[in-house]
Amino acid sequence: MRNFRLGTLIWCLVAMLSVVLVLSDPLANRDHSGEFVSIRADQRRVFPGLGDFALSEASIEIQPARGSVVRIVATPEGHQVVSGDDVLGPADAHALEGLWSALRMATTMRGVDDTSGIRAGVGGSLRVRVSGEVFTVEFGDALPGDSGRYANIVVGRESEAWVVESDFIWPVAESPESWISRGLVQLDAEEVMSITWAEALRLQRGADQLWRVMDGGAPAILSSEAIQARLERVLSTPLDPMISRSELEDPSWSPWLLIGVGEQEETRGFSLGGPCPGEEETARLVDRGPGVVGCIPNALIDPWRVEDPAEGFLESQLVPVEYGRVLRIRQQSPAELVLERASGGWALRASAEDAAPTRVSEGEVYRWFSRLRAVRITGWPEGGAAKVRSEYQIVIEGDRGVNYRLDCGRVDGGGVACRRDGGPLHLAVGATADPFLFDQTTFEDKTLVDIRPMDVRELELSADGGVPGGDEKNPRARTSVRSDFGAWRLDAPEHPDLDAALDHVRLEQLVTTLSSLRAIAWGPSELGDVERTITLGVAGSGAEGPRKIEIALGGGCRCRVDGGRVAVLDARTCAALSGEVLFDDPARGWLREASSVEWGEGADVVIARREGDAWDVDARDPRRATDMESLLRRLENWRSERIVAVDEGASFGQRVVLRRDSGVDVTLGVSEVRVHVAGQPWAYEGAVMPPSSDEEGPPELGGP
């Protein structure tokens, strides 16, 4: 047998000594007299497992130290408050949620071994019954200094004594009336499906979630927002004061309001009594079911005046159904046509029996329907409705089994009027016959250009023709830009600011407009005089190589793309294509960069030097100094409308030189309507320079 090494023996002795020290603990205090010992943990949930249950299934009993037990009982209509044998009414949902949270989250402070002196129950008790389980806490005496309260906690068959927080007893101290809801009924407006005033008016929410007048008034679709706002006011109004039924002699109840709730329209009925005691002129008694009764203001009692335009109940959108909900649109007059969804798109039939439908552009259907949905209706102005002959009849079929019928016609003197679902006649605000009619050409694809804006590599605005509505002697200057690895470069005209002269916002807007250019209608066969030509250079993709797209603009917002059909553009697109891509306030930018400005020549020159944000004008004649200050303000406020071609050596108006610390100096010829960069074959042109606030007329800058 091998001998142990000395080191091994020493380590074994150290280990044995450590075990002896741990077991004997010679430093421990052996005096345990007066020490409190609990065999349980110091804290736990008062009702462990209560959080696994739902409040809607729970009934709560509150036994105060003195008085009758208060029970909050779960019923199919919600919780009811019962005091002794008397039903007080529905429980307040917010107060009940607060109580439930307090019961679920309450914790103990420490355990108690000696239960002989806790006097459980003298402070009242709380009991929760839910799904066959019972949770009870019986409050005992308070500890000195309000540091806690003894309590006996019973869960199932197990009973234990604990010390709980002093404020955990707060539910027992509340009065029975504090648990009662003071509102008419605890419902969300979204849950209500119908409202009926006794034999006076009935409103109902349809399968499409739109409110309609069903009885007691002309057929009408009502604004959901208006109904919800009025309904929330009625449902949540405080019934103040609350009165016990035993205090009423003869309330003379009569039916008032019936509310249908949920898809099955479970009804909640309410009755009205006589004047409210103490508020006979402003409120009446209202009975909301078992329990105490309340008082409701007279202003909330009468049926809503849904036909009064001033009340704002009418749904102002002529067609309130969304595009995605439409399955079919039947035009019955002036010509029978059926537009219906088919295989992910739309098809047009000559009639419902047409077996050979024609596929149409979904984009054009969407745009046409959007114009129809944009039509708003309003009541007639004072004097009554005019006679309108039915000309356009449309039936829109939704995906929820609800149809919308429009019967419209033109009004003498202009405008269009419509009946919706057989209701009263309404004026279609700003509408023409266009949104109500469609045929095969309505849904033809009118896309003129369909490319990605990021694929545009070049853009040229040519100098063809004259300025629209202007003079042939003033043709537009050619502007050309190109995209260089995502950065736009200015190739023409030659500009002292180079690429910084480009207004990238206007440029990107123009490129975006051109990339998805479409017509609103087809024009005559001839375009007429070309006022401007726009050329796009588009990068190739896949097997398709780079290409050019040429857009010729004519008068009357008409254009022709690559020699195709003449198309009519909308006014906004037309204005965009007529714009420029350079900044329209060049003088403002130059002035901000200038350290000095010279005006005039020779002995008459006036110099303005920048001093911070202001100008220090140096002139021999004080009147010239005043004129210089005026000129600077006018240049600051002037805006260009177009870039026009001029003679390279031409001179316009007054000579102005802007000396810049960075960049080249700029010499301008300034007139009332133009700013010309000296030596360039183009000029900025705009409206007459505006006067400053302290001047009556334009400066004497000369003509073009």
Side-chain angles (χ1 to χ4, degrees), residues 517-528:
L517 190 65
R518 64 173 300 276
I520 60 173
W522 300 116
S525 58
E526 297 297 329
L527 178 62

Side-chain angles (χ1 to χ4, degrees), residues 79-98:
H79 285 82
Q80 295 288 325
V81 180
V82 181
S83 178
D85 295 330
D86 299 327
V87 178
L88 301 184
D92 183 279
H94 297 292
L96 190 56
E97 284 285 352

Side-chain angles (χ1 to χ4, degrees), residues 599 601-609 616-628:
W599 173 40
E601 299 182 79
D604 293 332
V605 69
V606 179
I607 300 177
R609 295 180 176 84
D616 181 21
V617 180
D618 181 10
R620 298 178 181 178
D621 186 348
R623 291 178 298 178
R624 293 281 288 173
T626 301
D627 290 342
M628 179 63 164

Side-chain angles (χ1 to χ4, degrees), residues 453-465:
M454 61 183 299
D455 289 336
V456 176
R457 296 291 184 265
E458 299 174 2
L459 171 64
E460 179 178 298
L461 310 177
S462 77
D464 292 344

Side-chain angles (χ1 to χ4, degrees), residues 293-485:
V293 300
C295 295
I296 189 169
N298 291 337
L300 301 179
I301 293 175
D302 294 334
W304 298 335
R305 299 192 300 272
V306 295
E307 296 181 356
D308 186 353
E311 294 291 323
F313 281 101
L314 179 68
E315 172 55 62
S316 62
Q317 192 171 25
L318 177 63
V319 180
V321 61
E322 297 177 355
Y323 171 77
R325 295 288 184 183
V326 178
L327 297 180
R328 186 178 293 104
I329 301 175
R330 291 186 284 115
Q331 179 179 273
Q332 298 176 332
S333 177
E336 183 177 357
L337 289 171
V338 179
L339 180 66
E340 60 185 4
R341 291 189 182 271
S343 302
W346 288 88
L348 188 66
R349 298 176 183 269
S351 66
E353 293 75 23
D354 186 1
T358 304
R359 300 282 296 192
V360 295
S361 168
E362 182 172 8
E364 298 301 330
V365 173
Y366 176 78
R367 294 182 183 93
W368 174 84
F369 190 76
S370 297
R371 293 197 301 272
L372 185 61
R373 289 196 76 220
V375 176
R376 293 293 188 270
I377 57 175
T378 184
W380 287 94
E382 191 172 348
K387 293 183 179 180
V388 179
R389 185 180 63 183
S390 175
E391 297 181 78
Y392 325 116
Q393 295 180 355
I394 300 175
V395 177
I396 302 173
E397 300 179 11
D399 63 347
R400 295 178 177 176
V402 181
N403 295 344
Y404 311 82
R405 181 181 179 84
L406 304 180
D407 193 350
C408 305
R410 282 171 289 193
V411 181
D412 293 340
V416 175
C418 293
R419 296 184 188 276
R420 184 170 55 189
D421 296 336
L425 198 61
H426 297 288
L427 185 64
V429 180
T432 63
D434 173 62
F436 304 100
L437 298 175
F438 61 83
D439 56 23
Q440 185 69 45
T441 62
T442 304
F443 306 118
E444 287 182 353
D445 187 4
K446 298 181 181 65
T447 301
L448 303 176
V449 179
D450 185 15
I451 58 176
R452 298 186 304 174
M454 61 183 299
D455 289 336
V456 176
R457 296 291 184 265
E458 299 174 2
L459 171 64
E460 179 178 298
L461 310 177
S462 77
D464 292 344
V467 178
D471 188 345
E472 289 292 335
K473 297 179 180 179
N474 300 322
R476 288 202 170 183
R478 172 179 171 271
T479 303
S480 178
V481 297
R482 57 185 169 84
S483 177
D484 185 8
F485 294 100

Side-chain angles (χ1 to χ4, degrees), residues 7-86:
T8 303
L9 181 60
I10 292 174
W11 280 111
C12 290
L13 292 174
V14 170
M16 294 173 63
L17 180 62
S18 299
V19 172
V20 171
L21 288 174
V22 170
L23 294 176
S24 62
D25 193 7
L27 300 179
N29 182 10
R30 300 298 180 182
D31 184 11
H32 300 295
S33 60
E35 181 176 308
F36 175 82
V37 178
S38 173
I39 62 174
R40 294 191 296 262
D42 288 342
Q43 281 190 324
R44 67 158 218 193
R45 297 286 186 195
V46 172
F47 293 144
L50 185 61
D52 297 335
F53 300 97
L55 172 60
S56 60
E57 302 174 357
S59 294
I60 303 173
E61 297 178 8
I62 304 173
Q63 175 64 63
R66 295 180 180 84
S68 302
V69 63
V70 177
R71 291 178 292 126
I72 305 176
V73 184
T75 70
E77 292 76 25
H79 285 82
Q80 295 288 325
V81 180
V82 181
S83 178
D85 295 330
D86 299 327

